Amino acid sequence: MNIKDKNNTYNTLFHWHNFRFKLVGEGVIVGLLSGLLIVFYRYLIEKTSYIMKNIYSYSSHNIGRILILFIGLVLCGYIIGRMAKKDPMCTGSGIPQVEGILLRKLDMNWFSVITKKFIGGVLALAAGLSLGREGPSVQMGACIGQGFSRIFKRIKIEEKFLITSGASAGLAAAFNAPLAGVIFALEEIHKNFSPLILLSAMSASLTADFISKQFLGLKPVLNFKDTRILPLRYYLYLIILGIIIGIFGILFNKTLLKTQDIYKKQKWLPVEFRPIIPFIIAGILGLTMPNLLGGGHKLIMSLTKCSFSIKLLLVFIVIKFFFTMISYGSGVPGGIFFPLLVIGALTGDVYGQLLVKYIHLSPDFVENFIILAMAGYFTAIVKAPITGSILITEMTGSFHHLLPLTIVSITCYLVTDLLNSNPIYESLLEKLLKNNTTNEFVGDHNKKILLEFAVTLGSVIEGEKIKNLKWPKSCLLVAVKRGEHELIPKGDTTIYGGDYLLVLVDEDMASGIRDVIEEMCRECDVKQDT
């Protein structure tokens, strides 16, 4: 090992033992910057969407204006297509890209992604494509974290926390949901509850939420008023709802992935022309059914004010479902949170009305099933039940639904697990890595980084001594964190469930070593006693 390697290793370990005290301060800065960016993003989307709504209304009865409208929509679609072709990291939700970066499998130009994601997201959502603002908000927040790290030359392990902090702040600012932002970072992005991730993500998320509320107000995103508490005698119907929503969630995931494959197989349709298709559909809906445009916030709120027939609600579900598939599959910058919440809300409305009709449920409780179905649909698709329950709780501003929300979410999760449905973002990341040719992460052999792994209960290494385990080559176990204590690993040290392992590796070997050790730390179905 040469002097450069020694210094690099020393600096990495030195920073690990000292940088934790900077995490809160840096999280606040990243949260502040992310919050300001996402507030501006939301503001532009709201204003441009209002303008486009008036344009659709103004053009509806004039052939010449309709022609000009569609020319403009085609041009916007082509502009976004060109951006997507030039930088594939700005396409789609952005959440799979963030997960790929944290896994050391992808890399991105943070400034390029922020610019293209911002412009593309505003154009797409203003035109009315069935997409959400949360995915771009998460990725742009992550870019803020990465940009902060690169500008101030932070070490790689610190950059990982800053990216996570930015992603958490992005979701918090997008939905006024700080706790959901934190839990999403832990449950979905990292899939473990590391105290350091919690510390950095919470400081960023709370700061971003403060900024968002300062500019956009204190009201929850989905302001359901005077919703009554569902009586316990109806809880059996929550399980039935969870089963139905779980199956629908599996259908959503399979169709979304299939739509991407269908687009890819159309060799006659270049990447830069794919977004034109959803833009044209948005134009048609804007002239005929404008309430189905965009993410669907106003449609959800209209369910509480208007009484739509079951047949019309079913029509809304089918159109919104396929419009979401076509919009996202084309590669346009935009997320799926809000569209899937809309589909869940529509399904819950249908279910509630059927209960009113056949078991004489009071119509006052239909709103409850709208809210519960949103949480269930989120859980079935993303497979993050804690995030789903907290997100809907914060978005609706009420904790009255926490118990039924949890019941529906757990039921949906069990249904998708029994039917072997993978989380949508894992599936999207797998597809992205398979097709990626330009943004693969290339590490430096002379740089060292620390990787952190959570040991789950039931994993193959739980209860084993370090010396008895077969570790990957080119890695060094430097510490075992157990609660508030940090142990120096020795051959006779026993690993327990709940431990966190700190492993020093060469940067260029990080991805492969991460996969091997994560498999060792992951819960297995059956563990044989020795």
Side-chain angles (χ1 to χ4, degrees):
M1 180 182 290
N2 58 39
I3 297 297
K4 183 177 180 181
D5 287 340
K6 288 181 179 179
N7 289 337
N8 190 273
T9 302
Y10 171 79
N11 287 334
T12 300
L13 294 174
F14 176 80
H15 277 286
W16 172 255
H17 289 289
N18 289 274
F19 90 111
R20 66 188 68 187
F21 302 106
K22 300 188 297 180
L23 283 180
V24 173
E26 291 180 339
V28 170
I29 296 172
V30 170
L32 174 65
L33 297 174
S34 300
L36 290 171
L37 178 64
I38 302 310
V39 165
F40 186 45
Y41 181 63
R42 287 179 60 178
Y43 175 80
L44 281 184
I45 290 172
E46 182 179 344
K47 294 302 179 183
T48 52
S49 297
Y50 178 77
I51 293 172
M52 280 302 300
K53 181 180 178 180
N54 290 332
I55 290 176
Y56 283 129
S57 178
Y58 178 71
S59 305
S60 59
H61 300 294
N62 186 291
I63 299 298
R65 293 171 188 164
I66 291 175
L67 181 61
I68 295 173
L69 171 66
F70 277 93
I71 291 174
L73 291 172
V74 169
L75 181 61
C76 288
Y78 180 73
I79 290 172
I80 291 179
R82 291 289 298 175
M83 289 192 297
K85 184 176 182 179
K86 189 172 183 180
D87 189 353
M89 290 295 285
C90 75
T91 62
S93 166
I95 294 174
Q97 287 90 326
V98 173
E99 293 183 1
I101 290 165
L102 293 174
L103 290 173
R104 309 285 178 186
K105 295 180 182 296
L106 292 172
D107 197 9
M108 68 178 176
N109 182 322
W110 65 271
F111 186 77
S112 172
V113 170
I114 287 179
T115 304
K116 292 181 174 64
K117 202 81 175 187
F118 190 98
I119 295 172
V122 170
L123 288 176
L125 290 170
L129 272 66
S130 186
L131 298 167
R133 62 176 180 254
E134 80 298 323
S137 298
V138 169
Q139 189 178 17
M140 287 190 290
C143 288
I144 292 289
Q146 187 184 60
F148 182 91
S149 174
R150 299 286 170 89
I151 291 172
F152 293 100
K153 303 186 186 311
R154 300 308 194 215
I155 61 172
K156 291 297 182 181
I157 185 66
E158 193 169 355
E159 180 173 300
K160 175 181 177 180
F161 286 101
L162 291 172
I163 290 173
T164 303
S165 299
S168 179
L171 183 60
F175 283 147
N176 292 359
L179 291 180
V182 175
I183 298 300
F184 184 74
L186 296 168
E187 186 179 28
E188 172 58 29
I189 295 180
H190 282 274
K191 296 178 176 58
N192 70 73
F193 284 71
S194 165
L196 288 176
I197 296 171
L198 175 65
L199 184 68
S200 58
M202 183 167 286
S203 59
S205 186
L206 292 173
T207 304
D209 182 60
F210 177 83
I211 296 298
S212 175
K213 286 182 168 65
Q214 188 71 29
F215 286 95
L216 302 176
L218 297 173
K219 290 183 179 180
V221 174
L222 299 175
N223 194 15
F224 289 87
K225 297 180 180 179
D226 303 322
T227 304
R228 296 173 58 185
I229 299 176
L230 188 70
L232 294 176
R233 65 179 179 272
Y234 295 121
Y235 273 38
L236 173 62
Y237 298 101
L238 299 182
I239 297 176
I240 299 173
L241 175 63
I243 295 172
I244 295 171
I245 293 294
I247 295 171
F248 284 178
I250 295 172
L251 177 64
F252 184 98
N253 287 0
K254 290 184 178 297
T255 308
L256 190 68
L257 297 172
K258 187 65 176 179
T259 305
Q260 288 187 322
D261 294 336
I262 292 173
Y263 269 109
K264 186 179 178 182
K265 289 178 181 179
Q266 309 309 310
K267 302 299 182 182
W268 57 273
L269 186 65
V271 173
E272 60 267 34
F273 290 108
R274 291 175 188 172
I276 293 176
I277 296 176
F279 270 86
I280 291 176
I281 295 175
I284 296 172
L285 290 176
L287 297 173
T288 57
M289 303 180 74
N291 56 339
L292 293 180
L293 290 177
H297 172 269
K298 291 183 178 179
L299 179 57
I300 292 176
M301 298 313 301
S302 70
L303 298 178
T304 65
K305 301 173 183 177
C306 306
S307 181
F308 297 106
S309 68
I310 293 178
K311 289 183 180 179
L312 185 57
L313 289 172
L314 292 174
V315 171
F316 285 172
I317 291 173
V318 172
I319 295 176
K320 193 66 179 175
F321 182 90
F322 286 105
F323 187 28
T324 301
M325 300 297 118
I326 295 170
S327 297
Y328 190 88
S330 68
V332 173
I336 57 173
F337 272 27
F338 240 130
L340 72 85
L341 293 181
V342 173
I343 298 171
L346 292 169
T347 306
D349 198 352
V350 171
Y351 185 77
Q353 289 196 36
L354 289 174
L355 293 182
V356 170
K357 183 176 180 179
Y358 291 107
I359 71 165
H360 307 295
L361 174 79
S362 172
D364 294 336
F365 295 121
V366 173
E367 277 190 20
N368 295 68
F369 288 96
I370 292 173
I371 295 170
L372 300 177
M374 286 193 290
Y377 209 61
F378 178 92
T379 299
I381 292 168
V382 183
K383 295 194 76 171
I386 302 176
T387 301
S389 299
I390 293 178
L391 177 66
I392 300 303
T393 297
E394 290 189 294
M395 288 180 70
T396 58
S398 173
F399 284 89
H400 293 157
H401 310 289
L402 198 53
L403 177 58
L405 274 175
T406 305
I407 292 173
V408 174
S409 295
I410 291 176
T411 304
C412 290
Y413 187 89
L414 290 174
V415 169
T416 57
D417 213 41
L418 288 172
L419 297 177
N420 297 319
S421 176
N422 293 321
I424 187 60
Y425 292 123
E426 284 189 11
S427 300
L428 289 171
L429 175 59
E430 183 180 344
K431 187 179 289 289
L432 181 63
L433 294 174
K434 183 178 180 181
N435 298 329
N436 175 65
T437 55
T438 58
N439 297 99
E440 185 177 357
F441 178 80
V442 179
D444 186 346
H445 179 71
N446 293 319
K447 290 184 178 180
K448 306 293 185 295
I449 63 172
L450 279 170
L451 302 179
E452 185 182 52
F453 302 92
V455 180
T456 59
L457 295 174
S459 64
V460 294
I461 66 174
E462 183 194 9
E464 298 288 345
K465 296 184 183 298
I466 291 175
K467 64 182 180 182
N468 296 332
L469 297 171
K470 185 176 181 180
W471 299 93
K473 295 180 179 179
S474 303
C475 76
L476 177 65
L477 179 62
V478 296
V480 177
K481 292 168 58 182
R482 186 170 295 160
E484 294 297 321
H485 301 286
E486 191 169 290
L487 310 176
I488 297 175
K490 301 177 182 179
D492 290 330
T493 301
T494 302
I495 297 175
Y496 296 106
D499 286 349
Y500 286 87
L501 310 181
L502 301 181
V503 181
L504 186 71
V505 300
D506 292 331
E507 187 181 47
D508 62 331
M509 303 289 289
S511 177
I513 291 175
R514 173 183 287 279
D515 290 342
V516 174
I517 299 182
E518 278 191 343
E519 184 66 28
M520 295 168 61
C521 295
R522 187 179 297 126
E523 179 183 358
C524 56
D525 295 330
V526 178
K527 183 178 179 182
Q528 299 292 339
D529 292 330
T530 58

